[in-house]
DNA sequence: GCCAACGTTGGC
DNA sequence: GCCAACGTTGGC
């Protein structure tokens, strides 16, 4: 089993949105970055555990856990609505450029583990954690089993 | 709202 | 294939 972290802006789609979905499951659409796409398309497996991270907000940090419910498949938001935010004329059903996965809500953390707190371990236990790397902008990143356990231990 | 960092685009 | 221009991300 693999571990991941996925970012979303809570004003756009936060963990409470996911928890309120039917079956507490939804597709993770709108990723338009090749590295992130490759992880969803090629590496994520059903049952993988994922940290839900709130970005671009007052208190950025890890707010909960979800799991992969369906493995990579074409992101139809690239073509369903030409006026849509995620429309990309270079992607179509016959030759999809973008992929997504389905995620299922597991639980909220007992408290938000903030980016500020995680940074305290940037030179220690979380030295290789991509989230803390300078200038990092990846919206999806792998988490090692060790990092996963350490972060959950902070809860 | 600012702006540093980074990815993508497109002219050459 | 280089690289300047541009757009986006995301912390602060």
């Amino acid at each position: 089993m693999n571990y991941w972290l996925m970012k979303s802006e809570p004003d756009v789609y936060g963990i409470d949105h996911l928890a309120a979905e039917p079956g507490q499951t939804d597709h993770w659409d709108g990723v338009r970055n090749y590295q992130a796409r490759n992880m969803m398309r090629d590496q994520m497996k059903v049952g993988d555990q994922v940290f839900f991270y709130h970005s671009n907000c007052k208190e950025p940090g890890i707010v909960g856990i979800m799991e992969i419910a369906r493995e990579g498949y074409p992101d139809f938001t690239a073509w369903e609505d030409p006026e849509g935010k995620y429309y990309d004329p270079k992607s179509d059903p016959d030759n999809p450029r973008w992929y997504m996965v389905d995620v299922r809500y597991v639980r909220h953390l007992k408290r938000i583990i903030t980016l500020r707190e995680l940074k305290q371990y940037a030179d220690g236990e979380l030295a290789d954690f991509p989230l803390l790397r300078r200038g990092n902008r990846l919206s999806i990143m792998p988490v090692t089993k060790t990092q996963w356990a350490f972060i959950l231990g902070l809860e």
Side-chain angles (χ1 to χ4, degrees):
Chain A
M1 179 166 68
N2 294 311
Y3 301 92
W4 308 92
L5 178 145
M6 296 166 89
K7 297 179 186 174
S8 186
E9 300 184 22
D11 292 345
V12 178
Y13 194 94
I15 191 168
D16 292 333
H17 292 96
L18 178 62
E21 295 289 345
Q24 300 189 311
T25 302
D26 203 358
H27 51 268
W28 198 267
D29 61 22
V31 173
R32 297 292 179 265
N33 169 281
Y34 289 104
Q35 255 185 288
R37 176 205 68 180
N38 292 348
M39 288 185 262
M40 290 199 293
R41 189 189 59 187
D42 305 331
Q43 293 181 255
M44 287 185 173
K45 300 298 172 197
V46 168
D48 282 1
Q49 301 291 111
V50 187
F51 282 136
F52 197 128
Y53 179 91
H54 280 174
S55 68
N56 208 3
C57 57
K58 197 172 175 188
E59 204 169 32
I62 297 167
V63 296
I65 296 172
M66 49 190 174
E67 64 185 10
I68 302 300
R70 180 180 170 186
E71 290 166 18
Y73 63 104
D75 182 347
F76 55 79
T77 64
W79 58 73
E80 71 171 354
D81 174 13
E83 303 301 316
K85 188 178 166 193
Y86 299 128
Y87 183 72
D88 180 355
K90 292 170 184 157
S91 190
D92 62 64
D94 293 332
N95 190 18
R97 172 176 294 209
W98 304 114
Y99 283 73
M100 59 188 176
V101 294
D102 285 356
V103 291
R104 182 183 303 118
Y105 171 84
V106 174
R107 67 178 180 90
H108 281 69
L109 295 190
K110 296 182 196 109
R111 62 183 186 88
I112 299 177
I113 299 178
T114 62
L115 177 64
R116 199 154 57 91
E117 180 176 357
L118 293 170
K119 279 182 172 171
Q120 296 172 13
Y121 307 98
D123 294 324
E125 289 89 340
L126 299 179
D128 298 319
F129 195 36
L131 184 73
L132 305 179
R133 240 175 256 152
R134 191 166 143 274
N136 164 69
R137 283 172 32 189
L138 260 189
S139 63
I140 297 177
M141 66 190 72
V143 179
T144 68
K145 190 171 187 171
T146 307
Q147 289 162 349
W148 180 273
F150 176 76
I151 292 166
L152 270 190
L154 299 173
E155 187 180 2

